[in-house]
Amino acid sequence: LMERPQPLACLLRRLERWTEVGRLIMQGADEACGAMDRALLLVHDRALYRQAEATSPTRTGSDAALTASLEDFLLLHGEGSSGMLLDELWPDRVLSRFRDRLRHGVVLYRSTKLRWLGQVTVDLRRTAGFVLDHARQRGFQRIVVVDPAYGYPPSSETVAAVVKACASHHLPHRKVTFRSPAPFRKMLREVCGSGRRTLIVATEDNLALSIHRVRLALPSRLRESTGLMSTMGTGLVRDQGITSVAADFRALGAAAARLAVAGRASRVAIAPEFCPGETT
């Protein structure tokens, strides 16, 4: 009998809820699996990411629902896969219950405190370094870093890295949480009228686009006192001319696939690059 390599399993949110980042990561994973002669098993989990319609709030399933979902997956595919890629939305508190059954698991695009799992993330120290270097070069006097209100782990980790870098370099900064356009519009007007040049750092691209639209609607005298930068940097913002610190998400997906197949619980950080735009 001919031996066939076991497929690499990917436990992800439903396909229609994929982000631009998710698509790029999976393109990289697919390319790496092709090079390794491995099939890719995509399992789209309905409990992981819930949204009634495009404009309604999003939420993650309960711990009980996610635990049951992972139990079902492991029952069906646990012994038949060579490794597993886990969407960034899977929380550590759920994954921690499966230490003895999650073989060669790798968490995508966020860090994990579970040392027996692998992780592939963006190098956030370098991301924060790009933000601070650009702010100084362009004469910004303070930074406002914006976190989406729905608790997205990669954004929260980026916020923490930028805030830490600002504090260590004694650069005035402020962290805000974006909840809806109305309060943010008020905050942006206050920032613009402060008399100090301010760099607004958005940690998620849909958030950056929302800020960009609000900023463009301001009078030019106010708009000129601010800049806007995204720390995700997909084509969604680069096509709009927004300055970005972008990671190669295809490389992230490829590295995660190789790590899962190798079965090493390693930590890999993908280096970001600075993408100049018209907003700073």
Side-chain angles (χ1 to χ4, degrees):
L1 296 176
M2 295 181 62
E3 181 180 350
R4 298 182 62 185
Q6 292 180 316
L8 175 64
C10 304
L11 202 51
L12 310 163
R13 72 190 78 183
R14 288 164 55 187
L15 182 62
E16 66 268 28
R17 305 300 186 197
W18 273 14
T19 60
E20 181 70 11
V21 166
R23 282 190 286 270
L24 292 171
I25 289 175
M26 292 316 301
Q27 286 174 13
D30 182 59
E31 291 166 2
C33 283
M36 294 185 292
D37 195 26
R38 297 268 174 172
L40 200 60
L41 173 64
L42 297 180
V43 179
H44 302 135
D45 189 272
R46 292 181 176 274
L48 190 58
Y49 186 89
R50 297 184 176 184
Q51 186 178 32
E53 54 190 31
T55 58
S56 62
T58 61
R59 60 189 178 91
T60 303
S62 68
D63 287 4
L66 293 177
T67 299
S69 181
L70 195 49
E71 286 276 7
D72 290 344
F73 169 82
L74 292 171
L75 182 64
L76 291 173
H77 307 292
E79 297 298 324
S81 58
S82 59
M84 188 184 308
L85 300 185
L86 295 155
D87 196 315
E88 71 272 22
L89 298 182
W90 285 97
D92 277 1
R93 61 182 180 274
V94 170
L95 299 179
S96 64
R97 304 172 185 176
F98 295 89
R99 176 169 186 166
D100 296 331
R101 299 173 61 192
L102 273 178
R103 300 187 310 129
H104 305 171
V106 177
V107 176
L108 297 167
Y109 193 36
R110 73 164 178 87
S111 64
T112 174
K113 295 181 179 179
L114 305 176
R115 304 301 298 179
W116 44 274
L117 286 175
Q119 70 177 39
V120 183
T121 61
V122 180
D123 188 336
L124 295 181
R125 286 188 61 186
R126 295 186 68 174
T127 296
F130 277 126
V131 171
L132 264 65
D133 288 347
H134 190 64
R136 287 169 169 167
Q137 291 168 7
R138 301 296 293 167
F140 291 105
Q141 297 166 294
R142 71 168 178 170
I143 288 176
V144 172
V145 58
V146 189
D147 196 14
Y150 50 83
Y152 185 52
S155 289
S156 300
E157 292 182 3
T158 305
V159 168
V162 173
V163 166
K164 181 179 179 180
C166 288
S168 64
H169 289 83
H170 307 290
L171 181 64
H173 60 280
R174 175 184 174 189
K175 172 190 169 183
V176 298
T177 300
F178 181 81
R179 297 187 182 279
S180 67
F184 185 78
R185 189 176 294 110
K186 178 183 176 188
M187 186 276 293
L188 189 56
R189 283 183 172 274
E190 292 172 354
V191 166
C192 294
S194 68
R196 290 189 292 178
R197 294 199 73 223
T198 302
L199 178 61
I200 300 168
V201 179
T203 55
E204 193 271 339
D205 278 354
N206 289 305
L207 176 62
L209 290 174
S210 297
I211 296 170
H212 186 51
R213 286 190 289 269
V214 173
R215 184 171 170 269
L216 288 177
L218 293 173
S220 59
R221 63 179 180 82
L222 293 179
R223 188 169 63 247
E224 289 169 2
S225 66
T226 66
L228 174 63
M229 175 184 285
S230 170
T231 58
M232 184 175 279
T234 66
L236 293 175
V237 295
R238 294 202 307 274
D239 290 347
Q240 297 296 318
I242 297 173
T243 301
S244 305
V245 181
D248 186 342
F249 290 107
R250 284 191 182 184
L252 191 154
R258 291 192 292 268
L259 194 62
V261 170
R264 297 194 305 272
S266 301
R267 268 54 180 152
V268 176
I270 302 298
E273 63 174 330
F274 178 71
C275 303
E278 302 168 2
T279 56
T280 54

